[in-house]
Amino acid sequence: MDKIIGLGNALVDVLATLKDDTLLDEMGLPKGSMQLIDDAKLQQINAKFSQMKTHLATGGSAGNAILGLACLGAGTGFIGKVGNDNYGEFFRENLQKNKIEDKLLLSEQLPSGVASTFISPDGERTFGTYLGAAASLKAEDLTLEMFKGYAYLFIEGYLVQDHEMILHAIELAKEAGLQICLDMASYNIVANDLEFFSLLINKYVDIVFANEEEAKAFTGKEPEEALGIIAKKCSIAIVKVGARGSYIRKGTEEIKVSAIPVRKVVDTTGAGDYFASGFLYGLTCGYSLEKCAKIGSILSGNVIQVIGTTMPEERWDEIKLNINRILAE
C-alpha cells in the first residue's frame, strides 16, 4: 500500500462548546472562519477558556487528515514544527501512539501553535489560531530524505503564507516521485492568495480538495461548474458540499456521492480533513473514485458526531465494518 506524508501546521486544538454565539462577537471572530490571532488575543481567549470546560486534541488540517489515515491502517508520516513545551509533547506523543512517522522539528524560541476552537450550538466551528512555532517551519528545514519512501504529499492550504517553503516542499516531493494533494483550507485564505493558489494548482498539484465556499473563492462559480474548472488544472478535483455530499472529477469521469445520514451534528471540526483521509485511503488501496468518495463520506459523517477529531476505538471498528460493506458492493 502506498504511504502518505502530511505537511502542515502542527497545532493543538483547545475546544469549547458555546451556549450561543455572543462570545464570538465579543472576541471579534466571524462565525465559521479561521482567523489568525496574536499573543494578546490568545491570552484573552485563555481567560475565557479558564471558566469553561475545554477538551484537548491534536489539530491542524494536514495533521487531522494523516491521523484519519493512520487509524485506517495506512502508512503515514507528518512534517511540522512545535515548541519545546507541553503542547508540543502532546502532539508528538499522539503521532507516536498512532504509528505516524514523526518528522517534527523543534523551535526553541516559540511556543507550540494552538487553535482555540469554538463550537456553536449548530455544530459550526470557529477558530482563533495562534500559529507560534508551527509557522516557523522554513524552506531550509526541509530535506529530500523526509519525502523518500512516500507516494503522496498532503499539504494544507493554511501554509500558503510562506510561498518559498511550500514551493520547496513540492519540489523536493516531486524529486522523490510523490504526487501532490492540496486541501484549500478556508475560503478567506483562498481569496487572499488567489494568484499563488492558481500557480500551485496549474503547475504542481495532482489532487485538489475544496469545499463549496473555497471552490467559489477560487473560481467564482457554484460547485458543479467550479469542479469542471478545477479538474482542467489537475488530475483529480473534489468539491465537498457538506450534507449534500461531494462531487469528484477525473478527466471525463464525474461522480456525485451522497453524505451519510447523520442524526445529530455535534462538531464539524475535521469533517473535510477526514473526508480527505478516507478518499486518499481508497486511492492508496487502488479503489475506484466512487469507493474512495464513499469511504471519505463515512469518515466525515462519523467525525462530526464527536467533539474534536479523536474518535474512540469502537467507532473506528464500526467505520472499518462500513468500509468493508462498501468494498463488497
Side-chain angles (χ1 to χ4, degrees):
M1 219 169 97
D2 288 336
K3 288 170 68 182
I4 298 189
I5 188 157
L7 174 72
N9 287 320
L11 301 174
V12 173
D13 287 350
V14 183
L15 302 114
T17 306
L18 303 176
K19 289 190 187 67
D20 56 46
D21 295 333
T22 50
L23 186 62
L24 297 179
D25 297 334
E26 272 178 48
M27 292 288 158
L29 298 169
K31 185 175 175 176
S33 71
M34 190 291 293
Q35 300 286 324
L36 293 178
I37 60 169
D38 59 12
D39 196 51
K41 177 76 87 181
L42 179 68
Q43 300 313 328
Q44 199 187 350
I45 289 172
N46 285 346
K48 293 283 184 194
F49 274 176
S50 66
Q51 299 151 17
M52 299 162 83
K53 184 168 177 265
T54 56
H55 169 89
L56 276 193
T58 57
S61 179
N64 291 339
I66 292 297
L67 178 61
L69 278 153
C71 291
L72 290 175
T76 55
F78 182 78
I79 303 168
K81 204 165 195 178
V82 293
N84 193 359
D85 51 28
N86 291 343
Y87 283 146
E89 201 45 47
F90 176 78
F91 197 97
R92 191 182 294 278
E93 280 169 10
N94 199 59
L95 290 184
Q96 289 163 355
K97 186 174 79 190
N98 290 289
K99 302 184 174 60
I100 298 165
E101 277 184 34
D102 165 9
K103 295 177 188 282
L104 284 181
L105 297 146
L106 203 61
S107 164
E108 292 297 344
Q109 286 79 38
L110 290 163
S112 296
V114 179
S116 304
T117 310
F118 300 90
I119 306 158
S120 293
D122 60 1
E124 180 68 82
R125 79 289 182 251
T126 306
F127 298 102
T129 304
Y130 173 75
L131 289 172
S136 67
L137 184 65
K138 291 280 171 267
E140 56 269 22
D141 291 327
L142 304 171
T143 64
L144 184 62
E145 278 309 306
M146 289 176 171
F147 300 96
K148 286 184 177 166
Y150 292 92
Y152 295 91
L153 168 64
F154 182 86
I155 302 176
E156 58 179 78
Y158 291 117
L159 291 175
V160 296
Q161 71 271 12
D162 189 338
H163 293 188
E164 192 193 348
M165 192 270 293
I166 280 219
L167 289 171
H168 190 52
I170 288 172
E171 280 156 12
L172 291 172
K174 287 278 187 196
E175 195 180 328
L178 280 69
Q179 286 202 53
I180 312 295
C181 318
L182 174 72
D183 188 288
M184 283 196 157
S186 180
Y187 67 91
N188 49 333
I189 289 184
V190 177
N192 291 342
D193 215 342
L194 204 50
E195 208 175 303
F196 188 61
F197 270 100
S198 296
L199 166 80
L200 290 181
I201 292 167
N202 279 321
K203 202 169 169 190
Y204 301 105
V205 176
D206 300 286
I207 302 167
V208 174
F209 292 92
N211 66 23
E212 56 190 310
E213 288 88 12
E214 292 148 16
K216 191 167 190 173
F218 186 61
T219 63
K221 306 291 182 194
E222 294 308 316
E224 282 183 87
E225 215 179 320
L227 180 80
I229 293 169
I230 299 168
K232 285 194 176 83
K233 302 171 188 288
C234 63
S235 169
I236 303 173
I238 298 109
V239 177
K240 302 160 289 181
V241 287
R244 306 197 309 284
S246 57
Y247 294 100
I248 296 95
R249 189 177 172 105
K250 180 183 186 180
T252 54
E253 182 188 358
E254 188 175 319
I255 54 169
K256 179 175 194 302
V257 170
S258 304
I260 65 167
V262 173
R263 275 202 303 278
K264 184 172 181 348
V265 176
V266 176
D267 168 21
T268 58
T269 305
D273 307 331
Y274 271 67
F275 180 89
S277 299
F279 190 90
L280 292 170
Y281 172 75
L283 216 55
T284 62
C285 296
Y287 303 145
S288 69
L289 286 185
E290 187 169 5
K291 284 185 172 159
C292 292
K294 283 182 172 174
I295 298 170
S297 294
I298 290 172
L299 262 70
S300 60
N302 272 277
V303 79
I304 62 176
Q305 296 177 58
V306 300
I307 287 186
T309 53
T310 310
M311 292 190 273
E313 214 161 295
E314 47 284 10
R315 193 178 271 272
W316 280 110
D317 293 339
E318 196 185 316
I319 286 170
K320 286 168 190 168
L321 285 174
N322 289 332
I323 290 173
N324 288 336
R325 273 192 209 108
I326 280 172
L327 298 180
E329 281 171 9

